[in-house]
Amino acid sequence: MTSHELHAGRTALVTGGSRGIGRAICRRLAVEGVLVAVHYGHDRAAADHTVKEIENHGGRAFALHAELGLPGDADQLWAAFDHILDGQTSEPGLDILINNAGITIPRGIADVTEADYDRVFAVNTKAPFFIVQRGLPRMRDGGRIVNISSAATHIAYPQIVAYGMAKAALDYLTLSLAQELGPRGITVNTVAPGYTATEINPKLAVPEVRQKYAQASVFHRLGAPSDIADVVSFLAGDQARWVTGQWIAASGGAHLGR
C-alpha cells in the first residue's frame, strides 16, 4: 500500500490548519489520500498557500473560514464545511476531525485578566467542545478524532497557567468522548506536543530561549511540525483502531526525570 492509499476516500477537517503544526497535519493527511478541509480564523493567504501546496503535490484540499472563540463559531464552521463539500466529488460527511486550533496567554496568574481567561478557554476548550457536538452527526462510524493538547498539562508551567488549564480540560474531553463513541467505532485521542519550532512562537527568535527549549528534550532539539503530524497521521488511520482515550506526548521526551 502506498502512502497515497492509507486514507484514500476519507475526508478530514483540521482546525487551525493554515500554519505551523496544523499545516503539517494537513499536508501529511493529504499525501495519504485524504480530502482536507483547511480551517483558518484570520489568515486567508496562509490557508490558500497550504491548499496550493497540497494541490501541487497531487492532493486535494479546500480552505474554510470561521473565527473561533465567538458565539456560533461551531455552527459557522460546519455551515462553511457543508457548503464547500457540496461542491466536491466526495460523499457528504466526515471521517477525521483534528481539533488543532488554539491560542496561548503567556502570563502568570497575577497578570491574567478575566478577558484573557475567557478568550483562551473560548478558543481552546469551548470551541472544540461544540465543534465535536455539532460535527458528530456528520461523522461516519469508524471515524477518528484527535485533539491537539500540550505537554504543559503534565508539568508545572506557571507562565502559561490559563493555557495549561484550558488544554487540560480538552484532555478530559478526549476521555469522555472515547467512552461514549466507542460503540460507533470512533476513536478519540490526544496528541500533546512539547517545544515545537513554528513561526507563531516569537520566543524562538531569541537564541538563548531556543537553546533552552531544545535542551529540555532528550534529543537536544526542538520538535518540528512534521514530528507531530506523523503521530496524528497514525492515530487517524486504521492501524490505530485499537487505540482510544489516550494522551500521547509528542514532546521528544521533554523534561523526563526533571
Side-chain angles (χ1 to χ4, degrees):
M1 179 179 292
T2 68
S3 61
H4 288 276
E5 297 171 334
L6 287 174
H7 304 312
R10 296 180 179 178
T11 300
L13 169 62
V14 181
T15 66
S18 65
R19 297 186 296 169
I21 291 171
R23 178 169 61 198
I25 293 170
C26 289
R27 294 173 62 180
R28 175 61 188 267
L29 292 177
V31 164
E32 294 169 350
V34 178
L35 170 62
V36 182
V38 180
H39 160 262
Y40 71 98
H42 301 282
D43 196 340
R44 174 71 196 227
D48 287 342
H49 178 70
T50 300
V51 170
K52 190 66 175 177
E53 279 188 324
I54 289 170
E55 292 176 342
N56 287 342
H57 287 84
R60 297 187 302 148
F62 59 87
L64 63 87
H65 172 260
E67 185 175 351
L68 303 186
L70 300 178
D73 51 5
D75 290 329
Q76 180 188 356
L77 182 146
W78 287 116
F81 176 86
D82 292 342
H83 175 72
I84 299 173
L85 191 63
D86 188 53
Q88 304 286 326
T89 58
S90 295
E91 292 292 323
L94 183 73
D95 302 285
I96 301 165
L97 173 60
I98 313 297
N99 285 307
N100 167 75
I103 61 170
T104 185
I105 302 293
R107 301 188 185 104
I109 191 169
D111 299 315
V112 174
T113 67
E114 287 191 37
D116 291 335
Y117 184 95
D118 289 345
R119 175 66 177 160
V120 77
F121 270 82
V123 175
N124 294 355
T125 309
K126 183 179 178 180
F129 182 96
F130 286 102
I131 287 170
V132 171
Q133 183 195 72
R134 304 294 204 270
L136 282 176
R138 296 167 172 84
M139 180 159 276
R140 287 182 272 270
D141 290 354
R144 302 285 185 262
I145 298 174
V146 181
N147 295 319
I148 306 301
S149 180
S150 171
T153 65
H154 280 48
I155 61 172
Y157 203 160
Q159 300 95 320
I160 54 171
V161 58
Y163 171 82
M165 290 171 64
K167 288 295 191 179
L170 188 64
D171 294 348
Y172 179 79
L173 180 62
T174 291
L175 287 175
S176 182
L177 288 173
Q179 177 82 2
E180 181 174 352
L181 300 179
R184 291 183 55 190
I186 296 172
T187 67
V188 189
N189 292 287
T190 290
V191 173
Y195 301 112
T196 307
T198 68
E199 66 270 29
I200 60 176
N201 189 344
K203 289 185 177 181
L204 294 178
V206 181
E208 294 80 8
V209 173
R210 190 179 183 92
Q211 178 67 14
K212 178 183 177 181
Y213 286 177
Q215 290 302 312
S217 164
V218 299
F219 303 118
H220 293 183
R221 70 169 177 87
L222 294 172
S226 59
D227 293 325
I228 315 305
D230 287 348
V231 180
V232 172
S233 173
F234 166 72
L235 293 173
D238 186 61
Q239 291 178 332
R241 62 192 175 277
W242 202 238
V243 180
T244 196
Q246 299 305 301
W247 187 90
I248 300 174
S251 67
H255 298 295
L256 284 181
R258 52 194 162 112

